[in-house]
């Protein structure tokens, strides 16, 4: 049974960046979904570092605020800014550090998960640039998925949307571009770039683009 605290997370607009402020000199992690495809939010204060470690699986990093440098062996470095993403390399040391502070979401991705061929491990990309707008249409792309998790990016032309339907699992929305309205259990919630929304398994929801609107949807079925 869900606690009152867990239930309060659903059905409201929020900001991952604003709700996870840093503590000077510290790194903070908060798991928001467990299992093989765990989801964790990290908040790193300026001039902090998560030392390089070797993982047998990928980690997808989505930067919500600030800047982050990923580093590894043989001079490997990648700089990420707000809105940037990267899928880490496997079986090689990968570390994170920041000079100004950062907040990011980390999703574990198993080696046997299906990853879109446009995504290359170790290369920085922006979710909002993966899909184009199309007149009168909704364009979507699966970034990565398996039988228990799906991460998809969607582009809605102005006036298009998804009619009300039930969520097959818990989900987090990342607003990437433009403006939209998330309907949830009979209430409407305007949403724009940098904001997030979370709904529970079975939650009735809809999406409407009041202007051109792009979003990412992280759905977990565990």
């Amino acid at each position: 049974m869900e606690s009152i605290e867990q239930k309060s997370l659903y059905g409201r607009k929020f900001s991952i960046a604003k709700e996870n402020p840093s503590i000077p000199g510290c790194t903070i992690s908060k798991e928001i979904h467990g299992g093989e495809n765990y989801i964790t939010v990290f908040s790193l204060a300026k001039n902090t570092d998560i030392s390089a470690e070797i993982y047998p699986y990928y980690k997808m990093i989505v930067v919500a605020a600030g800047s982050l440098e990923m580093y590894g062996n043989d001079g490997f470095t990648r700089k990420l800014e707000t809105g940037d993403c990267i899928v880490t390399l496997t079986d090689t040391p990968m570390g994170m550090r920041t000079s100004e502070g950062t907040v990011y979401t980390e999703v574990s991705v198993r080696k046997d998960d299906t990853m879109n061929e446009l995504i290359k491990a170790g290369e920085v990309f922006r979710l909002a640039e993966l899909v184009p707008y199309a007149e009168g249409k909704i364009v979507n792309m699966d970034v990565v998925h398996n039988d228990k998790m799906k991460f998809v990016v969607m582009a809605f032309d102005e006036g298009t949307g998804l009619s009300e339907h039930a969520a097959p699992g818990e989900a987090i929305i990342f607003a990437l571009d433009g403006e939209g309205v998330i309907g949830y259990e009979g209430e409407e919630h305007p949403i724009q770039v940098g904001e997030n929304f979370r709904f529970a398994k079975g939650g009735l929801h809809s999406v409407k683009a009041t202007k051109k609107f792009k979003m990412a949807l992280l759905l977990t079925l565990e």
Side-chain angles (χ1 to χ4, degrees):
M1 181 178 294
E2 292 176 332
S3 67
I4 293 175
E5 181 181 4
Q6 286 175 311
K7 290 182 178 179
S8 70
L9 298 173
Y10 305 125
R12 66 178 181 88
K13 182 173 61 177
F14 67 101
S15 166
I16 287 175
K18 292 179 180 179
E19 293 198 2
N20 293 277
S22 63
I23 295 176
C26 299
T27 64
I28 306 170
S29 63
K30 178 182 179 181
E31 185 179 89
I32 56 177
H33 182 80
E36 291 184 319
N37 293 112
Y38 69 78
I39 305 168
T40 303
V41 175
F42 285 84
S43 177
L44 278 60
K46 65 178 182 179
N47 298 320
T48 58
D49 184 303
I50 296 178
S51 58
E53 296 180 330
I54 299 171
Y55 294 90
Y57 55 89
Y58 300 106
K59 297 193 291 184
M60 183 167 63
I61 307 297
V62 184
V63 179
S67 65
L68 174 70
E69 181 186 5
M70 179 162 289
Y71 65 93
N73 287 343
D74 301 321
F76 175 93
T77 61
R78 295 291 186 272
K79 185 72 175 292
L80 290 85
E81 304 288 346
T82 301
D84 286 344
C85 302
I86 194 170
V87 174
T88 62
L89 302 172
T90 63
D91 303 316
T92 186
M94 290 273 101
M96 277 78 75
R97 58 194 173 206
T98 178
S99 59
E100 67 172 274
T102 187
V103 179
Y104 64 89
T105 302
E106 178 179 299
V107 184
S108 67
V109 179
R110 297 175 301 185
K111 284 186 176 180
D112 58 350
D113 291 347
T114 302
M115 194 182 309
N116 194 291
E117 62 182 12
L118 296 179
I119 307 301
K120 308 299 182 185
E123 296 302 322
V124 178
F125 63 96
R126 296 183 70 83
L127 291 170
E129 296 175 358
L130 292 179
V131 291
Y133 289 112
E135 185 175 356
K137 299 177 181 179
I138 301 170
V139 181
N140 69 80
M141 172 192 290
D142 280 2
V143 178
V144 62
H145 70 272
N146 60 33
D147 58 347
K148 295 181 179 180
M149 179 270 289
K150 179 187 284 282
F151 193 78
V152 59
V153 180
M154 309 181 75
F156 298 80
D157 192 25
E158 183 175 350
T160 63
L162 300 175
S163 58
E164 189 176 58
H165 58 287
E170 293 187 6
I172 300 175
I173 287 173
F174 301 76
L176 305 174
D177 186 56
E179 297 178 11
V181 174
I182 306 299
Y184 186 79
E185 297 291 344
E187 295 186 10
E188 292 192 341
H189 305 265
I191 191 169
Q192 57 186 351
V193 180
E195 295 179 328
N196 305 92
F197 196 90
R198 189 173 182 182
F199 48 83
K201 180 179 180 179
L204 290 173
H205 65 283
S206 61
V207 180
K208 183 177 180 180
T210 50
K211 295 183 178 180
K212 290 179 181 290
F213 178 58
K214 290 183 181 181
M215 71 177 206
L217 176 71
L218 177 54
L219 176 66
T220 55
L221 302 172
E222 292 179 295

